[in-house]
Amino acid sequence: MEKRQTTEKKAVKKPARRPARKKAESPAKPKAVETKPASEKPMYAVGKRKSAVAQILLSSGNGKISVNELPFENYFETPDLRHVATQPLVAIGVEKNVDIRGKVHGGGIHAQAESLRHAIARALIIRDPESRRTLKKLGFLTRDPRVKERKKPGLKRARRAPQFSKR
């Protein structure tokens, strides 16, 4: 007995077609976005020195500076540290035109002042690219790479050997 092969085709179900999208008759107009000039936008910058890191927000204002939510004079108590931190502002001549809110951590107080100076200089570049030449010449844009050297085994500090004893 011979078996007959059926040549029936199975009905393949096609996926349902999606309904056609309705085209928008008039293109949506983008809303006008107000863009402030670079001098009015707050500028964010980070400065570093040794293990101290300063993050600042520089905005137009009347010369108010706060560090770690304290007044500038309370955080940096000596005039020398205040002078170091504000050098870029004085060099450009905008110390009375900008407000600075800063956050510093790590390192010592002097390294924090220098990291704040580095951050302020970087923010001033964003605010006014023309001031780059002056700040670069004074060395405020260069991150000082000197950090404490690691201690080596068998030594008291990085290079200090133990005291020699003859007897």
Side-chain angles (χ1 to χ4, degrees), residues 89-147:
L89 297 173
V90 174
I92 301 300
V94 294
E95 61 269 13
K96 300 291 181 195
N97 302 339
V98 293
D99 287 346
I100 297 171
R101 284 180 34 216
K103 210 167 47 167
V104 294
H105 62 274
I109 194 78
H110 197 277
Q112 287 182 352
E114 290 189 11
S115 67
L116 188 67
R117 175 179 71 186
H118 189 221
I120 290 171
R122 284 180 158 186
L124 287 172
I125 294 291
I126 297 169
R127 183 176 188 261
D128 180 24
E130 298 294 320
S131 60
R132 181 177 175 82
R133 173 175 276 159
T134 307
L135 295 172
K136 185 77 173 169
K137 193 180 288 185
L138 293 170
F140 300 147
L141 295 176
T142 307
R143 189 234 195 264
D144 195 345
R146 297 175 294 168
V147 293

Side-chain angles (χ1 to χ4, degrees), residues 18 26 80 85 144 162 165:
R18 291 185 184 155
S26 62
D80 290 339
D144 195 345
S165 172

